[in-house]
Amino acid sequence: MEPSDVRAAGPHTFLSTLAHSNLMSGLYYEEFDVDETIEHDRRRTISESDNQRFCDMTMNQQPLHLDREFAAETEFGERLVNGLYTMSLAVGLSIPETTDGTIVANLSYDDVSHPNPVFCGDTIRARSTIADKRETSDGERGVVTMRVEVFNQRDDLVCEFDRTVLSLKREHAEGDE
């Protein structure tokens, strides 16, 4: 199935069309195993432009992210990448192997920490460890919590957080009945 066929399917059949195509790579609820660790293959080098655009879009004018002279006078000696960008990018890097096409909703992001700074030019990667899972009360979906860890090119841990999602069960995915 081609991407244009998925879009043409319309909103009522989008999930079932996506689930039956070869475009989806995420896991259904029953495919997640507690304590399983997923190393995500995609990496991303963060540019100055990425950081600038994210700060502009979110209206975050913190000089530590944007002002070279200001940042040079701090303990870091240079501008830091916005921590929310780092976290958002990590979610994006993790989606193909976890929730691409199988998610109902992101429910929460908890216990976020940034133990080391991220600088423009750093290349980050992510890994997810399945921390917990439980079925919903109706038994048609499941709640999955994964611990996402983010590392730079030197393997320094730069961000970590828990991501909790509402996941489709294969047997109850739209159109699978």
Side-chain angles (χ1 to χ4, degrees):
M1 177 172 289
E2 296 297 316
S4 59
D5 296 332
V6 173
R7 284 190 295 278
H12 299 292
T13 60
F14 176 77
L15 279 179
S16 63
T17 304
L18 186 62
H20 289 90
S21 73
N22 292 327
L23 301 174
M24 185 195 75
S25 59
L27 302 174
Y28 286 102
Y29 169 77
E30 48 275 86
E31 296 174 307
F32 286 102
D33 293 320
V34 174
D35 294 328
E36 173 187 15
T37 297
I38 302 166
E39 296 284 346
H40 304 293
D41 291 335
R42 288 180 173 82
R43 298 171 186 263
R44 178 74 152 74
T45 300
I46 300 172
S47 71
E48 182 177 340
S49 176
D50 294 334
N51 188 53
Q52 177 73 50
R53 282 193 313 251
F54 187 86
C55 288
D56 289 346
M57 286 188 298
T58 58
M59 299 178 67
N60 182 337
Q61 297 304 302
Q62 168 57 256
L64 188 55
H65 301 311
L66 302 170
D67 184 330
R68 180 188 322 239
E69 298 306 313
F70 175 88
E73 298 299 319
T74 70
E75 66 184 275
F76 304 106
E78 61 182 293
R79 290 170 288 180
L80 298 182
V81 169
N82 186 306
L84 289 175
Y85 177 66
T86 301
M87 183 177 152
S88 297
L89 185 54
V91 171
L93 292 171
S94 72
I95 285 173
E97 294 91 7
T98 59
T99 60
D100 185 20
T102 58
I103 189 174
V104 176
N106 282 306
L107 300 177
S108 67
Y109 298 97
D110 299 297
D111 298 322
V112 179
S113 69
H114 300 274
N116 288 293
V118 177
F119 302 102
C120 295
D122 282 353
T123 299
I124 66 166
R125 65 177 178 84
R127 79 173 168 219
S128 300
T129 302
I130 310 310
D132 188 40
K133 68 184 252 188
R134 64 176 173 77
E135 288 187 10
T136 56
S137 59
D138 64 9
E140 293 186 5
R141 296 174 285 199
V143 176
V144 178
T145 300
M146 56 195 87
R147 184 71 178 167
V148 180
E149 297 171 297
V150 188
F151 301 90
N152 65 15
Q153 68 278 6
R154 293 177 300 282
D155 290 327
D156 298 327
L157 181 67
V158 295
C159 182
E160 60 183 333
F161 55 93
D162 291 332
R163 176 181 176 221
T164 302
V165 301
L166 183 59
S167 181
L168 293 171
K169 290 180 80 176
R170 182 179 297 278
E171 65 186 277
H172 295 288
E174 185 180 349
D176 275 0
E177 299 169 9

